[in-house]
Amino acid sequence: MTKEVEYKTYTISELSKAFDVTPRALRLYEESGILSPKREGSKRVYFERDKVRLRLLLRGKRLGYSLAEIKELFDIYESNSGEEGQLLLLLETMEVKRKQLETKKIDVEIALQEIEKVTNTARKTLKEISATKN
Amino acid sequence: MTKEVEYKTYTISELSKAFDVTPRALRLYEESGILSPKREGSKRVYFERDKVRLRLLLRGKRLGYSLAEIKELFDIYESNSGEEGQLLLLLETMEVKRKQLETKKIDVEIALQEIEKVTNTARKTLKEISATKN
DNA sequence: TAAAAGATTGACGCTTACGTAAACGTAATA
DNA sequence: TATTACGTTTACGTAAGCGTCAATCTTTTA
């Protein structure tokens, strides 16, 4: 008794709409070795795995990582043989990334504080203006 | 009695070392209209104001903003006449940026969580390995 | 005073991350 | 069956953000 599992698949345009990226970008991500859709003839067929990776990829981009860096991360993560050396490499890499992200987090928070300051000052001035008007 | 105020100034190489950017970059930032050092003959002289702006610029970059966007922000902030329309524009702009930053904050936090998961899994596996060894 | 250290202005080069168009194939639809 | 929609590869174009000379000038410093 074979267990039939339905895998949802996506065409390039479906995936591109779903994530608001162009097909061109998806092809580039493939060329960069990050996505690897199956083929049906010459047409790309994307599976859940690709969707997951694309989601991570885009988050990575928003965080400022280059495609090369993102691929590197995927590679390290996947090449993980469960072997000790590999695991240690993984841990080191993650530690580096973690520190970068903590720094970024601080950058974001400082920026938010600055925005708040500017905003408060502007609001005060506005209030004074409307008070003067009356 | 004239009040003499000492302003600390910087040469391009001093500032470049202080912020770990190349002189070339500083010249580009000037060309982009973000920095505007005074001149002593043909030589650039940077004041505190430039230092402050550079610090903000670099944070902006780390947050993923382009030089053009950064300049735009400075422009809006400075063109602020205290006039009502300008203040409202400033508030709107800041609100947009604030939302972007909140999104980025979430991205960072999700990424940190993912790193934690991967890290924990790797650590567990490592423990199992060292247990087997004995 | 000669040489080294820093500065300046071009100007061309390079990488990343796509955009865009061309030329072509296949499949669904009017 | 003709057209429209969607897909493919190939390839050139582009914008941003510098890197890297080259040629020249000025100022220290040995």
Side-chain angles (χ1 to χ4, degrees), chain A residues 3-21:
Chain A
K3 199 170 176 184
E4 298 279 340
V5 183
E6 283 292 318
Y7 284 110
K8 177 143 202 226
T9 66
Y10 307 83
T11 68
I12 194 168
S13 60
E14 284 169 351
L15 200 63
S16 105
K17 274 168 202 159
F19 284 87
D20 196 34
V21 293

Side-chain angles (χ1 to χ4, degrees), chain A residues 31-125:
Chain A
E31 208 182 293
S32 307
I34 303 178
L35 299 183
S36 30
K38 296 276 158 37
R39 297 293 176 125
E40 228 169 60
S42 70
K43 293 185 178 166
R44 290 168 175 80
V45 182
Y46 296 88
F47 285 78
E48 274 310 312
R49 163 195 161 86
D50 303 295
K51 231 180 123 176
V52 171
R53 290 174 74 103
L54 180 54
R55 199 188 314 283
L56 288 168
L57 189 168
L58 294 177
R59 177 152 46 237
K61 287 207 55 186
R62 288 197 301 271
L63 292 174
Y65 292 106
S66 70
L67 293 182
E69 289 174 293
I70 293 171
K71 175 182 163 41
E72 217 187 307
L73 278 178
F74 277 126
D75 285 353
I76 290 177
Y77 181 65
E78 290 186 346
S79 83
N80 217 310
S81 45
E83 183 230 333
E84 197 167 351
Q86 281 297 319
L87 283 168
L88 290 173
L89 170 63
L90 184 68
L91 284 176
E92 278 174 43
T93 308
M94 288 304 139
E95 184 54 19
V96 171
K97 297 299 168 187
R98 202 186 56 72
K99 278 183 186 159
Q100 288 174 9
L101 287 170
E102 295 289 1
T103 299
K104 193 152 305 225
K105 196 171 162 181
I106 291 174
D107 276 333
V108 171
E109 262 148 30
I110 292 179
L112 280 171
Q113 287 173 27
E114 269 156 9
I115 286 184
E116 219 187 324
K117 272 202 295 187
V118 171
T119 300
N120 283 334
T121 306
R123 274 207 254 273
K124 264 192 197 172
T125 313

Side-chain angles (χ1 to χ4, degrees), chain A residues 22 24-25 28-29 61 66-67:
Chain A
T22 64
R24 175 69 178 93
L28 176 68
Y29 300 156
K61 287 207 55 186
S66 70
L67 293 182

